[in-house]
Amino acid sequence: MNGFSYVWQGFSLMWRPGVRRFVLIPLLINIVLFGAGMWAGVHYAHQWLDGLLPGWLEWLNWILIPLLFIGLMLVAYFSFTIIANFIAAPFNALLAQKLEMQLTGKPTPEDDTSLWHLTLKTVAAEWRKFRYFLAYAIPLLLISFVPGLNLLAPFLWFAFSAWMMTLQYVDAPAGNHLLEFDAQKSWLKTMPATSLTFGTAMTGMTMVPVLNFFALPVGVCGATALWVERRPRPTHDSVKR
């Protein structure tokens, strides 16, 4: 259950003096994008799903439509999360920096880096995560269109979303310490229960209207607390990003 506790910590940490002002931009980005996603879902999702099922499965509408709708919402919300994180990546890294300095009293290796350099570094990291996402998302999307197999799609999407959520938010503090994406994955796999519960909580949060507006800063703050308490030992300052 540790992952859930870090999400809860994220809620309280984002309001700390000296940290609040770095939450504002990620919060505004999330509100705009998730607001657009919710509007699109309400207006288009059900209409698209009604015409998706073949005639011989119409009698299963009452089961399949809710499952497919959940799967579609997971795809939509996670896609908007990726976009939001891509846009807000430099600000997420800055938020993680300032919060870690408060929690540890020590500057991160990126503390003296200009915002421009931070932007280039974080955008490159987001692109690597996006390619990793596509490698698994495309097969999952194809499964969503296969009758019978599409019953599994919502559950597979949820598990994959939970893993990607953890990778997404942990990259903010871990990236500040120059830890490469592959090394981040290896580290998270050493604590699968914590990684899964953190990602599960964040995935669930993105699906709750209004609460999902706060997902981005909460995720960054929670992941930073996770990093400070459980980061790899010895430190990896020598690892090049």
Side-chain angles (χ1 to χ4, degrees), residues 82-188:
I82 288 179
I83 296 170
N85 276 277
F86 191 88
I87 296 172
F91 306 102
N92 291 343
L94 193 59
L95 171 59
Q97 269 185 22
K98 302 308 177 184
L99 178 58
E100 184 177 344
M101 287 178 63
Q102 278 206 14
L103 295 176
T104 65
K106 301 175 182 178
T108 68
E110 296 287 344
D111 188 43
D112 296 325
T113 303
S114 68
L115 182 60
W116 173 246
H117 180 270
L118 196 61
T119 299
L120 293 177
K121 178 185 71 69
T122 51
V123 167
E126 290 300 314
W127 175 244
R128 285 193 290 272
K129 282 183 287 184
F130 182 65
R131 287 185 298 174
Y132 178 81
F133 166 73
L134 286 180
Y136 290 90
I138 292 174
L140 285 174
L141 190 60
L142 294 176
I143 289 174
S144 302
F145 290 94
V146 179
L149 285 179
N150 55 18
L151 291 173
L152 297 174
F155 306 103
L156 295 175
W157 269 111
F158 192 91
F160 178 59
S161 296
W163 172 240
M164 282 302 304
M165 284 288 183
T166 304
L167 287 173
Q168 190 73 28
Y169 290 115
V170 161
D171 184 57
N176 287 339
H177 285 264
L178 313 178
L179 192 68
E180 293 181 345
F181 182 55
D182 289 340
Q184 292 177 30
K185 289 187 293 181
S186 298
W187 170 60
L188 289 170

Side-chain angles (χ1 to χ4, degrees), residues 56 179 181 211 224:
W56 62 278
L179 192 68
F181 182 55
L211 194 60
T224 302

Side-chain angles (χ1 to χ4, degrees), residues 222-237:
T224 302
L226 168 63
W227 172 261
V228 167
E229 292 183 14
R230 306 186 64 172
R231 64 183 179 179
R233 298 294 192 273
T235 56
H236 46 267
D237 292 343

